[in-house]
Amino acid sequence: MALIVQKYGGTSVGTVERIQEVAKKLIKHQQQGVDLVVVLSAMSGETNRLISLANELNDQPKGRELDVLLSTGEQVTIALLCMALEQQGVQATSYTGSQVRILTDNTHNKARIMEIDDSVIRSDLSKGRIVVVAGFQGCDEQGNITTLGRGGSDTTAVALAAALKADECQIYTDVDGVYTTDPRVVSEARRLDQITYEEMLEMASLGAKVLQIRSVEFARNYNVPLRVLSSFKDGGGTLITAEDPTMEQAVISGIAFNRDEAKLTVLGVPDHPGIATKILGPIAKENIEVDMIIQNTGHDSTTDFTFTVHRNDYDTALKILQKTANSLGAREIISDNKITKVSIIGVGMRSHAGIANIMFETLANENINISMISTSEIKISVVVDEKYLELAVRSLHTAFNLEHS
Ligand code: ASP
Ligand code: MG
């Protein structure tokens, strides 16, 4: 019998009526002859509500206590779903993370799953029961409750699917799949039937709204077929899997973008060993994430060094950089916090030459200036002025024929 792990997100279990709908759906699936393990999130808004309760009493609650509190959201929905199922005459049992025994490390609020004991689940399934597991939580070796970080129920579902060697892990959510780009920017954006783990990871800025990115890494590492589908609308959703060498891949699968970026350049830094770490070390120390990094070829024994950060970190990064630039005797800093990054992504790029040029030509035809370029094996990113973001994404979407293929 096929074994499917299904995860329902917060909006899908946000009210008693919706929990009822999930129960009906599960019964239908069970009647089609599959073993079901169900992972639930807390009701939508609940985790935020619990966090604000905590903050009313303590502005820095201990991670351990916060996890005891946050894990209750999922405990509510799993019990309610089982009650709804039992009411319909279907046998079901709920388990918290520690009851299954989802063993994690002890990093409270962002714990990592280390091991899952599948024995209770298997025994329940063999008796024809539906197993309902609380997402987002586990326990450490001492039995302390831990949570996996916001959006962590997706990772619970994938980890269970890996441990149980499930045929598929299905994430039911409020969107019906992964799109070629954000449909709010390009109305012709198309739902992808299939995409590879690698592409999904590169599309993080698009995908993060759909799935916790860590769950995709997990799925890739354990080769779990992962499907994103809508709780509210029928359809096959988007299947995320390993690359299939026998299938012809679209050259470009999607266009991702990051709106809120900022760029900083130091001009005329002495071209010595150790310059990169002197510039970026102090930035990393402040926990500022650096995205693109470009160092020019040196001339006259100096060089220029440019990097991008999230716009929220711009002011801090600029202050740090000013200090560094003074101590290095650099000539000047120029910076711009009105930039965005646009990326085209596709595994088909590996076997097709000239993709970058189509991208550059398309942007040139729209008179969009590119200020930085970076590439990986399956992605080409450019930095452009934020006022051209929509135009850039739309023209690239058309140039690569994404509305049709
Ligand atoms: N309830 C948790 C959150 O809101 C986990 C999840 O929904 O995946 O982040
Ligand atoms: Mg979620």
Side-chain angles (χ1 to χ4, degrees):
M1 189 134 70
L3 169 58
I4 308 281
V5 176
Q6 296 189 339
K7 180 255 172 179
Y8 292 86
T11 33
S12 314
V13 294
T15 61
V16 165
E17 291 72 28
R18 289 200 167 158
I19 292 178
Q20 189 77 270
E21 291 303 312
V22 171
K24 283 191 200 147
K25 235 188 161 99
L26 293 173
I27 293 170
K28 244 205 289 180
H29 289 143
Q30 197 191 36
Q31 283 164 352
Q32 290 160 358
V34 283
D35 281 340
L36 286 173
V37 175
V38 183
V39 174
L40 298 185
S41 284
M43 289 181 167
S44 51
E46 178 63 7
T47 308
N48 289 340
R49 188 185 74 88
L50 294 169
I51 291 173
S52 37
L53 282 179
N55 289 334
E56 275 181 47
L57 297 167
N58 188 327
D59 47 25
Q60 270 182 320
K62 271 204 189 120
R64 183 187 181 283
E65 301 313 325
L66 198 57
D67 280 348
V68 171
L69 179 70
L70 297 189
S71 64
T72 62
E74 275 73 11
Q75 194 167 336
V76 169
T77 51
I78 55 168
L80 289 175
L81 178 64
C82 287
M83 292 175 195
L85 287 165
E86 294 277 345
Q87 181 70 36
Q88 307 288 320
V90 171
Q91 296 192 315
T93 315
S94 68
Y95 295 98
T96 63
S98 52
Q99 284 177 315
V100 172
R101 204 134 191 271
I102 297 180
L103 184 69
T104 70
D105 64 14
N106 59 7
T107 328
H108 284 290
N109 314 142
K110 45 173 194 294
R112 292 197 159 259
I113 296 176
M114 303 196 311
E115 205 179 281
I116 294 181
D117 180 351
D118 64 357
S119 51
V120 239
I121 298 182
R122 290 220 184 265
S123 138
D124 273 14
L125 291 174
S126 70
K127 295 178 196 129
R129 305 181 73 88
I130 293 182
V131 177
V132 184
V133 179
F136 174 58
Q137 55 182 268
C139 67
D140 70 7
E141 247 147 14
Q142 276 71 49
N144 296 301
I145 295 175
T146 54
T147 64
L148 310 179
R150 298 308 303 271
S153 299
D154 297 334
T155 299
T156 304
V158 174
L160 278 169
L164 294 161
K165 303 198 172 48
D167 295 281
E168 200 168 288
C169 180
Q170 302 178 339
I171 308 285
Y172 284 88
T173 175
D174 39 13
V175 296
D176 64 348
V178 181
Y179 277 69
T180 49
T181 194
D182 187 338
R184 284 169 302 186
V185 173
V186 182
S187 55
E188 295 85 9
R190 189 174 44 86
R191 182 178 56 75
L192 295 158
D193 291 329
Q194 204 166 340
I195 185 173
T196 66
Y197 300 124
E198 256 62 33
E199 289 168 321
M200 188 68 193
L201 290 170
E202 291 283 21
M203 296 233 273
S205 69
L206 282 177
K209 291 174 200 114
V210 182
L211 272 179
Q212 196 195 36
I213 284 307
R214 226 175 94 196
S215 71
V216 182
E217 284 166 1
F218 213 109
R220 178 194 56 190
N221 295 347
Y222 292 91
N223 209 3
V224 176
L226 183 60
R227 190 184 294 274
V228 177
L229 355 82
S230 163
S231 295
F232 308 111
K233 211 162 100 185
D234 288 334
T238 301
L239 180 65
I240 309 163
T241 55
E243 204 172 329
D244 178 354
T246 63
M247 286 248 303
E248 171 123 46
Q249 300 284 347
V251 180
I252 298 300
S253 295
I255 302 174
F257 51 84
N258 297 55
R259 274 182 197 281
D260 303 315
E261 303 244 327
K263 135 181 123 161
L264 301 104
T265 303
V266 221
L267 295 174
V269 259
D271 193 8
H272 295 154
I275 281 302
T277 170
K278 281 200 180 112
I279 294 175
L280 294 179
I283 303 277
K285 247 208 200 114
E286 282 300 305
N287 272 320
I288 296 176
E289 218 176 290
V290 171
D291 182 16
M292 285 183 174
I293 303 168
I294 292 180
Q295 187 192 313
N296 266 355
T297 312
H299 53 93
D300 305 334
S301 66
T302 69
T303 185
D304 306 333
F305 195 95
T306 304
F307 60 95
T308 62
V309 295
H310 191 277
R311 208 170 290 170
N312 292 343
D313 293 322
Y314 173 72
D315 289 337
T316 319
L318 187 57
K319 263 189 220 125
I320 298 171
L321 192 61
Q322 258 145 6
K323 265 199 219 139
T324 315
N326 286 341
S327 73
L328 292 176
R331 194 169 72 239
E332 189 185 352
I333 292 176
I334 46 177
S335 61
D336 185 350
N337 67 350
K338 300 249 176 325
I339 56 151
T340 52
K341 181 174 81 167
V342 177
S343 311
I344 59 172
I345 293 138
V347 290
M349 218 182 266
R350 289 201 198 106
S351 49
H352 283 80
I355 300 303
N357 196 47
I358 297 176
M359 182 182 202
F360 303 152
E361 205 175 14
T362 306
L363 298 173
N365 288 340
E366 299 293 345
N367 245 323
I368 300 172
N369 188 42
I370 301 172
S371 64
M372 290 171 85
I373 300 171
S374 87
T375 62
S376 78
E377 217 189 345
I378 64 163
K379 175 161 101 167
I380 304 169
S381 304
V382 297
V383 166
V384 300
D385 191 311
E386 70 171 4
K387 65 174 179 274
Y388 295 123
L389 171 74
E390 273 82 9
L391 180 60
V393 175
R394 256 185 248 129
S395 54
L396 290 168
H397 201 270
T398 310
F400 288 103
N401 202 20
L402 285 177
E403 43 269 68
H404 301 120
S405 44

